[in-house]
Amino acid sequence: MHIRIVSDEDEQALTDLRSWLRRDPATRTLAVTPVSGTGPTMNALEALDIVLGHAVDIANFAIAYATWRSTRATGARTGARTLAHGGSANDIGDLTAEQLTELIRALEREAASREADDPDEDLAPS
């Protein structure tokens, strides 16, 4: 499953989160790719693309994210609060690890359901 954590105009929050995920033994093997902006924000860090391979990855990411949020200073609670997947964007800044895990699993089920409804979507001529 592929998710994106958006900067919410706080590049430093994404940098901190990426570093946190790299240091956490449970998440250091996750594929985390920085997404830089184009146009007027060229080279600015705008998002992190994260690939979660299975249920354990989802749970480990959710725990690491919730722990990272709780360690941030009160004034630094902006940025990296939006999880984007498919056409949805969700504010995850105040979710517990359990709530975040359930949200990601629900998004995964929704994506699987869409694929099951239209299995030939990728095969359609362009």
Side-chain angles (χ1 to χ4, degrees):
M1 171 171 200
H2 171 260
I3 62 171
R4 177 172 281 187
I5 304 297
V6 181
S7 75
D8 305 316
E9 299 182 16
D10 185 350
E11 186 176 349
Q12 186 60 47
L14 285 183
T15 301
D16 292 347
L17 176 58
R18 184 175 182 213
S19 177
W20 183 275
L21 294 173
R22 284 183 173 166
R23 288 190 318 265
D24 187 308
T27 58
R28 73 176 54 154
T29 60
L30 293 178
V32 179
T33 306
V35 178
S36 296
T38 58
T41 62
M42 194 158 186
N43 297 325
L45 183 60
E46 291 189 348
L48 295 176
D49 282 347
I50 303 170
V51 177
L52 304 170
H54 46 77
V56 173
D57 286 346
I58 293 171
N60 287 340
F61 170 75
I63 291 166
Y65 180 85
T67 304
W68 172 75
R69 293 290 309 171
S70 72
T71 64
R72 298 198 68 201
T74 305
R77 296 217 180 250
T78 62
R81 295 179 56 98
T82 303
L83 182 148
H85 178 266
S88 69
N90 301 277
D91 183 344
I92 60 171
D94 294 322
L95 298 183
T96 65
E98 294 81 13
Q99 291 167 327
L100 181 53
T101 298
E102 184 50 41
L103 171 65
I104 295 171
R105 288 182 179 156
L107 292 170
E108 183 176 45
R109 286 189 301 270
E110 182 181 300
S113 176
R114 277 194 312 269
E115 287 177 17
D117 289 344
D118 193 1
D120 295 329
E121 182 176 307
D122 292 335
L123 302 175
S126 39

